[in-house]
Amino acid sequence: MSRILIAEDEPRLALFLEKGLRANGFTTKVVGDGVGASALARDEDFDLLILDIGLPGKDGFTVLREVRGIGQRLPVLILTARDDVSDTVTGLEGGADDSSPSPSRSRSCSRGCASACVARGARRPR
Amino acid sequence: MNDEPTPLERDGPREGRRRRGRGIRARVALTFVVLLALSTLVSVLALRALLHSRLADRVADTLAEEHEQFDREKASLPNDASLEGSLQALLRENPPGQDEGLFAFVEGRLVEQTFTGPSPLILAREEIAALGRGTARRTGEIPTAIGPLAYDASAVEVGGERGMLVATNSLIGERAEVDESVLAAGLVGTVVATLAALLAVLAAGRVLQPMRQFQDVAAAASESNLSLRIPVTGDDEFNDIARHANAMFERLERAFGVQREFINDVGHELRTPITIIRGHLELMGDDAEDRQETVAIVLDELNRMTRFVNDLLLLTKAEAPEFLRLETIHLATFTEELATKARALAPRAWRLDCAGSGIIVADRQRLTQAMMNLAQNAVEHTKDGDEIAIGTASSGGEARMWVRDRGSGIALDAQQRIFDRFSRAGAGRLHGEGAGLGLAIVRAIVDAHGGRVELVSSPGEGSTFTIDVPSEPPSRKSRRRREVASPSAEHASR
């Protein structure tokens, strides 16, 4: 069973992400601010972090840097609300594994999550 | 100058620009050349006329001189001297100057003549003979084949005999000399004028140099590069224009930036509800409860989008002159209404500080909306049970209204732009009213009333928003004039 941490401050966005991922057999946890996201990613064991950039407290980039800074190899999928290429580039430079322009296509999103988890799972012996 | 764009100029701004640039230079050069040529021509002709007139005066003086000479010598003549002898002696003793001639007549008969240059008798025999037959003094000019012949004829008398002494000057040699000088002056003038015209063309090029830079920048600006500036190098008129134009480019650039940002923000603000609606619809299951939940969420998001679009439209409308619907408002009852409406917003410890008295002329609905936006903003910065106070007061032709809270307060850097569109004092989407347009709408409404809105806030201690509006809004025209007169007033009121 793969566990996914959703860092997203808009509850209704998080709600359907959760719903879609659960329907596809994932276990999810939602956190609404950057500080909490950073702490959870550090302290608990997740197979994937879905990270919004515009988080209150700490923005997504900061969370990503912190997660990578402590050597976490947790795959990170960044949600960008904007199409800004600069956001995407900053995210990928910071160590994100993929960037999805808005989470609306939740089926393809969950497929992406699955493949990210599978890829890491294959590389990381459990 | 013909400013209508010719078909050629319409083909491309670059081509048209070059043509215009060269056109001014050519016109300046042509003007200089024509002016210099005209002034040279006029001065040469004037010089010639002046010199000729002086020459004529001098000749007249010399001719008169001959008679004075005769009169002086007549005094020393012996008593028995005849007129003919005396005249012959005079002519012999006084050789004529250049182109001069002297003709002595006794009783209409030519008795002696001397001359140099072309013979006046060949040129004008009849006229001179006629002068010799005269009895009174006559001066003037006789036109001849080679030019005018100046004459001075006067009566002479010795021992009862009467005669005439006619002095002439053909002026030909003298005039030739004058014309030669004038020609030389004309040549010098032409050379100097040509050099001056060349220098003028160069100077025109130099003077127009900033103009060309201006053209380059303006052309680049029209091709959507607004970041270029015209170099300012001094204090003359061109640099003045450059400074004004640079300020204009700066404002344009800022305006475009603001517009781009605005559209970006609008897109972002609309994308979140769209994403939520799409996501929930895509995942909607078949059971009734799920459907009901989804429909509720979708409707709520659609309502939010509607409010947002209405806010945007309101902000646009607020700039139109017919935005306000003015009516007479009793401040006391208005304050009561505000307090009642505010209480319905959220459970807070609502207070009424004080209610002003008297009446104001304003748009009741818009003012209410502004105050409710402020109250909503206060709600968002406080928790359940926190104190929020509303109050109004009137003094000196102004009504003051405020909303005061003891909430989280607003950071100093956020205070600067809190009335701008989409400038939320915190990241993330606000729940409830807004997309960060609430305070922008407050300012738009207050501006339309010709008033000011001010914020006093310190983080951790709460905020007080104050609206001051005149009891009677100034007419739109005079308000605009004031805005133009002091563009900094807007900044000061932020």
Side-chain angles (χ1 to χ4, degrees):
Chain A
M1 185 73 99
S2 299
R3 292 191 75 211
I4 298 179
L5 176 60
I6 302 171
E8 166 63 61
D9 67 320
E10 171 57 44
R12 284 173 172 177
L13 280 179
L15 182 66
F16 79 77
L17 277 177
E18 236 185 335
K19 196 171 163 187
L21 290 170
R22 279 187 176 154
N24 281 273
F26 296 98
T27 315
T28 54
K29 180 157 188 147
V30 174
V31 59
D33 66 297
V35 182
S38 222
L40 278 172
R42 188 183 61 229
D43 299 338
E44 291 187 24
D45 189 29
F46 289 100
D47 298 296
L48 176 68
L49 167 60
I50 297 179
L51 183 60
D52 182 25
I53 291 304
L55 286 176
K58 269 177 201 171
D59 71 16
F61 297 129
T62 314
V63 173
L64 182 58
R65 264 201 308 281
E66 287 179 357
V67 168
R68 290 291 180 246
I70 56 168
Q72 264 275 22
R73 296 187 57 218
L74 169 70
V76 178
L77 188 62
I78 287 190
L79 296 181
T80 53
R82 300 182 179 244
D83 298 324
D84 289 357
V85 177
S86 66
D87 268 16
T88 311
V89 170
T90 316
L92 292 173
E93 279 172 357
D97 295 272
D98 201 355
S99 152
S100 165
S102 90
S104 63
R105 311 260 175 207
S106 47
R107 278 188 192 91
S108 69
C109 175
S110 69
R111 265 202 299 281
C113 296
S115 62
C117 293
V118 168
R120 282 305 154 116
R123 252 183 272 158
R124 189 169 59 182
R126 307 189 110 183
Chain B
M1 184 184 166
N2 182 13
D3 275 329
E4 289 282 321
T6 67
L8 193 86
E9 279 172 336
R10 243 186 260 128
D11 282 348
R14 204 167 281 277
E15 249 169 283
R17 179 164 54 88
R18 292 241 178 84
R19 265 168 50 91
R20 277 196 294 277
R22 278 221 288 264
I24 290 182
R25 197 175 166 180
R27 273 200 304 280
V28 168
L30 190 68
T31 310
F32 266 102
V33 169
V34 168
L35 274 179
L36 286 169
L38 266 179
S39 66
T40 308
L41 188 68
V42 167
S43 59
V44 163
L45 290 178
L47 182 67
R48 184 168 180 267
L50 182 73
L51 287 178
H52 276 191
S53 132
R54 282 198 176 172
L55 175 63
D57 287 350
R58 208 176 67 233
V59 166
D61 285 350
T62 347
L63 293 179
E65 181 74 13
E66 302 292 345
H67 301 281
E68 283 159 25
Q69 180 87 20
F70 179 75
D71 285 343
R72 276 197 302 278
E73 285 180 11
K74 201 171 77 175
S76 57
L77 284 175
N79 282 343
D80 60 341
S82 70
L83 175 61
E84 187 175 336
S86 314
L87 287 170
Q88 280 167 344
L90 174 76
L91 265 54
R92 271 198 305 275
E93 283 157 26
N94 296 293
Q98 195 194 345
D99 296 325
E100 278 179 5
L102 279 173
F103 302 90
F105 292 87
V106 175
E107 307 294 350
R109 181 173 49 88
L110 181 63
V111 294
E112 186 64 55
Q113 58 169 313
T114 64
F115 60 87
T116 62
S119 164
L121 286 181
I122 293 172
L123 292 170
R125 169 177 289 280
E126 288 306 315
E127 289 85 348
I128 292 173
L131 287 171
R133 286 192 296 274
T135 51
R137 171 130 195 229
R138 283 176 69 191
T139 60
E141 281 184 8
I142 306 163
T144 72
I146 58 164
L149 184 69
Y151 64 82
D152 189 332
S154 59
V156 288
E157 193 245 309
V158 171
E161 279 183 303
R162 290 175 166 279
M164 290 295 283
L165 182 61
V166 180
T168 65
N169 193 316
S170 74
L171 300 182
I172 290 163
E174 302 252 19
R175 284 209 177 180
E177 270 172 38
V178 164
D179 286 350
E180 207 174 308
S181 311
V182 168
L183 188 66
L187 274 175
V188 170
T190 305
V191 169
V192 168
T194 309
L195 282 176
L198 272 176
L199 287 175
V201 171
L202 290 178
R206 270 184 76 92
V207 167
L208 289 174
Q209 179 66 29
M211 185 83 128
R212 268 195 293 281
Q213 288 170 335
F214 193 174
Q215 282 171 337
D216 287 343
V217 173
S222 64
E223 286 155 20
S224 90
N225 179 2
L226 284 170
S227 59
L228 292 178
R229 295 289 178 270
I230 307 162
V232 175
T233 49
D235 222 17
D236 57 18
E237 290 88 340
F238 263 124
N239 283 298
D240 241 23
I241 295 175
R243 262 191 292 273
H244 288 310
N246 282 344
M248 182 183 79
F249 285 134
E250 219 147 275
R251 283 185 56 183
L252 272 179
E253 199 183 7
R254 243 195 335 261
F256 276 118
V258 164
Q259 196 195 26
R260 238 190 332 267
E261 219 166 273
F262 181 71
I263 290 170
N264 220 2
D265 284 335
V266 169
H268 182 213
E269 220 47 63
L270 286 175
R271 178 174 285 168
T272 305
I274 288 171
T275 304
I276 291 172
I277 290 169
R278 185 198 293 257
H280 281 274
L281 285 178
E282 279 181 356
L283 291 174
M284 186 169 68
D286 285 333
D287 67 294
E289 201 190 333
D290 190 10
R291 283 183 166 241
Q292 215 173 347
E293 270 176 26
T294 302
V295 167
I297 288 174
V298 165
L299 284 179
D300 190 55
E301 289 297 326
L302 286 174
N303 282 340
R304 192 198 291 261
M305 288 169 81
T306 309
R307 273 200 306 273
F308 175 68
V309 171
N310 286 345
D311 284 356
L312 282 180
L313 291 177
L314 178 91
L315 277 176
T316 317
K317 264 194 301 197
E319 282 153 23
E322 65 277 13
F323 174 58
L324 293 181
R325 302 219 167 133
L326 297 175
E327 59 183 300
T328 307
I329 302 172
H330 291 269
L331 205 50
T333 49
F334 182 62
T335 312
E336 289 295 333
E337 285 170 20
L338 288 179
T340 311
K341 283 188 175 136
R343 279 192 187 98
L345 287 176
R348 300 286 188 273
W350 293 97
R351 270 198 52 179
L352 181 58
D353 274 348
C354 63
S357 56
I359 55 168
I360 60 171
V361 177
D363 187 325
R364 175 189 290 266
Q365 201 197 332
R366 297 299 179 207
L367 267 192
T368 307
Q369 185 179 12
M371 286 297 283
M372 285 306 108
N373 283 2
L374 290 181
Q376 180 65 39
N377 183 66
V379 165
E380 281 155 15
H381 286 89
T382 50
K383 296 185 292 294
D384 277 10
D386 285 353
E387 183 187 284
I388 303 177
I390 287 183
T392 62
S394 51
S395 68
E398 270 197 343
R400 169 167 289 199
M401 311 167 197
W402 63 89
V403 175
R404 181 168 66 73
D405 71 67
R406 295 192 183 278
S408 51
I410 292 152
L412 201 66
D413 59 333
Q415 286 181 25
Q416 303 294 320
R417 49 193 166 77
I418 191 143
F419 294 107
D420 293 346
R421 295 165 187 191
F422 300 112
S423 75
R424 253 182 251 106
R429 190 166 75 139
L430 289 179
H431 305 289
E433 265 313 299
L437 291 179
L439 293 179
I441 287 173
V442 172
R443 190 174 70 186
I445 290 172
V446 173
D447 278 354
H449 281 89
R452 314 179 292 284
V453 54
E454 272 160 26
L455 163 64
V456 178
S457 177
S458 49
E461 305 209 344
S463 316
T464 303
F465 285 87
T466 311
I467 293 176
D468 286 312
V469 289
S471 304
E472 238 173 282
S475 74
R476 203 147 261 268
K477 248 185 205 162
S478 64
R479 191 161 61 84
R480 266 213 198 111
R481 217 175 289 139
R482 203 187 58 205
E483 274 166 13
V484 170
S486 61
S488 58
E490 196 198 347
H491 289 280
S493 69
R494 282 184 188 176

